Amino acid sequence: MKRIAKRTYVLVLLCIVFLGLVAWTAWRVYTATYVFKGLHGPVAATVMPHIDAAQVDTFDQGSEQRIAVLITDPDSDWLGWVRAFKAHGIPARFTLDPAVAFRHHVVLVYPIVSGKAMSANALRGLANHIHSGNVVLAFELAGGGLNDVFGVSGYRPAKSREEIRWMQPRGIPREDVVRVNREEKLWTLGYSATSATVLARFDDDTAALTCNQQVGMACLMGLDAGRLIQMGMDGRAEPINRQYVNGYEPGMDVLVRWIRDLYLAQEPMPWRVSTVPEDKALAMLPTHDVDYGPSVRNSLAFANVLKDRDVSGTFFFQTKYRRDYNDEVFFDPDAVKVMHNLVGMKMELGSHTVAHSRQFEHMPLGTGHEQYPDYRPFVKARGTVTDGTVLGELRISKYLIESLSSAQVVSFRPGYLSYPFVLPEALAATGYRYSSSLTANRTLTHLPYQMTVGRAGRALAPVFEFPVTIEDEAQPPLGERFDQAQEVMHDIARNQGLAVLLNHPDITGHKLEFERRWIDAWRDRAWIGNLESFGQWWVARDQVDINVVRVGKGWVLEAHSPLAIRGLVVHLPKAPRKKVRLDLAAGETVRIAL
C-alpha cells in the first residue's frame, strides 16, 4: 500500500509539473514578443512643450477689407472663430479696440453686447456704425439700448433648443435643418423680432437668426457659435452629431458659411481663400489602418490601385511586436519589407500606435523616456491594457517605422479613434504634425483645423486635425455603400470640403473595389493624395498673410508666405480679376494689381 501511495504521489507530482510546463509554455506563446536586434530607442527624451494661451493681439492685424471681430470678453471662446475663419478661408482681424473694429465695414461682436462688457462710447459707436451703412453681427444683445437698432424686443434663454431651421431652404436636409445642441449642452437665445427679418428659427419657433436692414444692417444669432465651434473641433460636441461617421453633419460649417457669405456680399472688396489645392472641387485622402496580420500583405494591393491612378495614400501601421488579446505579432521582418515597398510606391507611412487599445484615451501620459524594446504594453481584454502610456505609443511606433524604413513619420491615427485629452500636445512633443483622430460628423465640420492644447480651446497646438468622413466597418459592407458615400461626397464638394476615407485592408474584395471606384469617380475633379502632402499644403495655407488694399483708384493684393506653397487660389468676387493663383517660395512676398 505504501508503494502504491508513493507511486500515486509521484504521478500526481509529475502531472502538476507537466501541467505547469504546459501553462508556462502557453503563456510564453501567448505573450510572444518579436525583437528587432540592434534597435534600442528612441534615445532622446520627449519633453512636453509649454504653450501659452492664445492672445487676441496676435490676430489684430490686416487690412480694413477683412471682417473685424470685436472681442468684448477675452475669456470667451473667441479662439473658435480664429480656427473656423482660417479653415474656411475667411480673412479676419480680431481686436479688443472698438475704434479699430469700426474702421471695417463688416463687424462681428463677440460674445456679448452690453453695458457691462462695452463702454457707453463703444455702444454709441456700434449704433453709429450701423446707421452709417455698415454691417454688424452680434450674438447676445444684453443691454445698451440697441433693441430697436437690431429690430428685436428681447430674447428668451433656454438649453432645450436643439435645431436651427432656415426659412428659405435649399433642399439639402442636413443644411436646411442644422443640429446645434443636444442634451442641454448649450444655452440658446430665442429672439422676438419686431422690425427684423427672421432668417432662421429654433425648433420651438423662436428666432435663431435675424437681420434688420436700415441704412446699414444689424444681425443677431441666438447661439454662442464660438462655443459650438470649440466643442466640435476639440472633440467635445457629442452627442450633437446625428450620425457618428459615414454621413454629412455640417452644423458648424453652415453657420460659418453664412457669415462668410454675409461678408462677401456686404464688404466692398472682399476675398476668400480656397480650401483645396488648385481650387479643385474637394480634397480626398485615401487612408488605411494596418492593424491586423493579413492587412500587412494586403496593403500592397491597395497601394497598387493608388499607384495605377498616379495618386498616393497613407498607410497607418500598428507596430505590433507583442502577441496579446487583439492579435498575433505581425510587425516583423515581413512587415518591414512591405513598408519598404510602400515607400518605393510613393505611399506615406503613418503611426497607428503600438498596442491599438480602446483604452488609449485613458492611458497615463508617461515619462517621455519610454524605449524599445523595454516598452511592452499588453492588451488583456477589450477594455483592459497594461503598461501602456500615451507618449510610449507615440514615441515607439514612430521610432520603429522610421528606423526600419526610409519614411519620416509625421501623421498619426489612434486605434478605434480613441482620443486622449493630452493628444494634441503629446503629438507636438513627439514630432507629429498631422492627426486623423476624429470623425468629421463628431467635429461638425468637413474641413481640417488646428488643434488646441488639452482639447480645451485656449492655446493652439502646432498640429492639425484631418477628420475621417467615410469608414469601412459599418453595415452594410463598404462595397454596398458606394451610392450613399457618393451622396456625402457631393454634399462636401459643394463647398470645397475634405473627404477622408478610412479603409482597413484586412480583406481586398469589396473594400478594394470601393476604393477603386471612389477614386475613379472623382479623379478629374478632386485633389487626391496622402495626408502628409495635403497637410503640408494646408499648414502653408494657414500661414499665408493675404491683404487687399486700395492703391490710387485701384486695388492690390498683397501676399506673404513663410512656407513654400503652390496652387493657392484667392477668390475676389467684386474685383476685375475674380481669381488669383499664388505659387510662392518660402519667405516670398508678392503684390498683384487687381
Side-chain angles (χ1 to χ4, degrees):
M1 290 296 293
K2 290 182 178 180
R3 184 177 298 175
I4 294 174
K6 186 175 181 180
R7 289 177 179 176
T8 302
Y9 175 79
V10 171
L11 287 173
V12 170
L13 182 61
L14 289 173
C15 287
I16 292 172
V17 171
F18 174 77
L19 291 174
L21 287 171
V22 169
W24 180 81
T25 301
W27 179 250
R28 289 278 294 180
V29 171
Y30 181 61
T31 59
T33 301
Y34 185 88
V35 177
F36 291 91
K37 293 181 180 180
L39 285 186
H40 191 277
V43 175
T46 295
V47 179
M48 293 296 287
H50 172 74
I51 302 176
D52 292 327
Q55 301 298 316
V56 176
D57 291 349
T58 303
F59 307 97
D60 191 354
Q61 56 189 335
S63 67
E64 295 176 8
Q65 283 64 48
R66 296 183 177 212
I67 186 172
V69 184
L70 176 59
I71 305 301
T72 58
D73 180 4
D75 291 327
S76 65
D77 288 292
W78 62 271
L79 192 59
W81 292 111
V82 173
R83 302 163 78 189
F85 283 174
K86 279 181 169 285
H88 283 261
I90 303 170
R93 180 175 187 174
F94 291 76
T95 183
L96 297 166
D97 188 345
V100 171
F102 297 150
R103 292 202 294 265
H104 295 247
H105 185 69
V106 180
V107 179
L108 185 155
V109 184
Y110 181 82
I112 191 170
V113 175
S114 76
K116 293 182 179 179
M118 302 174 67
S119 68
N121 284 338
L123 291 169
R124 284 192 295 269
L126 184 63
N128 290 336
H129 195 65
I130 297 167
H131 291 318
S132 299
N134 299 296
V135 180
V136 170
L137 170 63
F139 296 85
E140 182 175 357
L141 193 62
L146 297 175
N147 279 4
D148 289 343
V149 175
F150 283 86
V152 297
S153 61
Y155 60 77
R156 181 163 55 88
K159 296 183 75 174
S160 57
R161 303 182 183 102
E162 296 185 348
E163 295 179 339
I164 291 177
R165 181 182 74 255
W166 295 92
M167 304 308 293
Q168 294 185 344
R170 299 173 55 198
I172 307 169
R174 291 291 174 94
E175 294 186 9
D176 293 339
V177 179
V178 179
R179 179 177 285 180
V180 296
N181 198 14
R182 189 73 169 175
E183 296 181 358
E184 299 189 345
K185 293 282 186 181
L186 289 173
W187 283 102
T188 57
L189 308 176
Y191 282 94
S192 299
T194 52
S195 59
T197 300
V198 178
L199 303 180
R201 293 187 180 276
F202 287 114
D203 39 0
D204 65 352
D205 212 38
T206 56
L209 180 59
T210 65
C211 281
N212 195 31
Q213 181 75 59
Q214 301 174 354
V215 177
M217 185 182 296
C219 300
L220 282 169
M221 184 180 290
L223 170 75
D224 187 343
R227 178 60 182 156
L228 179 66
I229 293 166
Q230 295 282 64
M231 289 172 60
M233 289 184 171
D234 290 332
R236 296 173 181 261
E238 289 185 322
I240 294 176
N241 51 288
R242 287 165 283 198
Q243 187 176 350
Y244 176 68
V245 70
N246 298 314
Y248 180 57
E249 192 72 71
M252 182 265 282
D253 288 337
V254 170
L255 299 179
V256 176
R257 288 200 298 261
W258 182 85
I259 296 173
R260 178 200 66 189
D261 293 344
L262 178 70
Y263 160 75
L264 294 176
Q266 298 299 325
E267 167 59 43
M269 189 52 67
W271 75 95
R272 69 173 180 86
V273 181
S274 175
T275 50
V276 182
E278 310 292 344
D279 205 31
K280 296 277 191 175
L282 77 163
M284 295 169 54
L285 307 184
T287 70
H288 314 82
D289 288 3
V290 186
D291 50 25
Y292 172 59
S295 297
V296 177
R297 181 182 63 255
N298 291 343
S299 296
L300 296 174
F302 286 81
N304 278 317
V305 166
L306 301 178
K307 184 181 178 182
D308 290 346
R309 285 151 180 79
D310 197 28
V311 297
S312 177
T314 300
F315 290 80
F316 291 103
F317 264 77
Q318 180 192 359
T319 57
K320 184 169 183 55
Y321 50 82
R322 192 176 191 192
R323 177 185 295 183
D324 59 15
Y325 169 85
N326 280 341
D327 200 359
E328 304 280 343
V329 170
F330 58 76
F331 194 75
D332 55 19
D334 289 336
V336 172
K337 293 178 183 178
V338 170
M339 289 196 303
H340 277 286
N341 287 334
L342 290 172
V343 172
M345 298 166 73
K346 308 300 184 185
M347 302 297 146
E348 179 196 9
L349 302 184
S351 164
H352 199 40
T353 74
V354 176
H356 194 275
S357 170
R358 295 176 185 273
Q359 297 303 306
F360 179 55
E361 61 190 60
H362 301 300
M363 287 182 181
L365 175 62
T367 64
H369 293 275
E370 294 88 347
Q371 290 186 330
Y372 176 86
D374 299 327
Y375 178 74
R376 298 188 181 187
F378 186 77
V379 179
K380 289 185 174 181
R382 179 183 176 92
T384 306
V385 62
T386 59
D387 302 323
T389 67
V390 172
L391 290 178
E393 296 294 288
L394 299 177
R395 280 168 54 87
I396 305 307
S397 57
K398 179 180 172 71
Y399 168 75
L400 286 174
I401 296 171
E402 291 183 340
S403 298
L404 296 167
S405 73
S406 58
Q408 180 184 11
V409 176
V410 293
S411 301
F412 174 79
R413 175 178 291 151
Y416 303 104
L417 302 187
S418 183
Y419 192 16
F421 285 104
V422 297
L423 184 59
E425 56 267 41
L427 289 172
T430 47
Y432 294 89
R433 298 199 296 270
Y434 318 116
S435 165
S436 187
S437 303
L438 291 166
T439 66
N441 286 5
R442 184 177 175 186
T443 65
L444 307 178
T445 179
H446 292 272
L447 287 171
Y449 56 85
Q450 191 166 2
M451 303 168 79
T452 61
V453 173
R455 297 165 51 194
R458 291 293 178 264
L460 292 171
V463 184
F464 285 76
E465 171 67 27
F466 299 78
V468 173
T469 315
I470 299 167
E471 60 79 53
D472 62 330
E473 294 192 314
Q475 292 298 322
L478 184 62
E480 299 176 20
R481 290 191 273 120
F482 183 78
D483 291 341
Q484 174 191 338
Q486 281 289 86
E487 292 180 9
V488 174
M489 299 289 290
H490 283 290
D491 285 335
I492 294 171
R494 272 193 295 268
N495 291 282
Q496 291 188 307
L498 169 68
V500 177
L501 171 66
L502 188 165
N503 210 351
H504 291 83
D506 53 337
I507 60 171
T508 53
H510 69 90
K511 293 187 180 183
L512 188 61
E513 179 61 19
F514 176 94
E515 190 159 328
R516 182 184 293 114
R517 293 178 65 192
W518 187 67
I519 293 171
D520 288 345
W522 290 92
R523 60 190 302 188
D524 295 333
R525 293 170 286 170
W527 184 96
I528 308 174
N530 63 51
L531 177 51
E532 179 182 12
S533 297
F534 185 64
Q536 288 176 343
W537 185 88
W538 189 266
V539 171
R541 169 191 178 274
D542 185 78
Q543 295 185 28
V544 174
D545 183 29
I546 299 173
N547 287 289
V548 174
V549 296
R550 183 178 287 280
V551 177
K553 295 183 179 180
W555 296 91
V556 171
L557 182 147
E558 300 176 342
H560 172 76
S561 182
L563 303 173
I565 188 168
R566 293 187 60 81
L568 181 67
V569 175
V570 182
H571 291 256
L572 300 122
K574 297 181 181 178
R577 295 180 62 172
K578 302 300 182 184
K579 292 184 181 181
V580 172
R581 176 190 168 116
L582 297 176
D583 297 312
L584 302 174
E588 184 178 1
T589 299
V590 297
R591 300 179 83 249
I592 302 172
L594 301 178

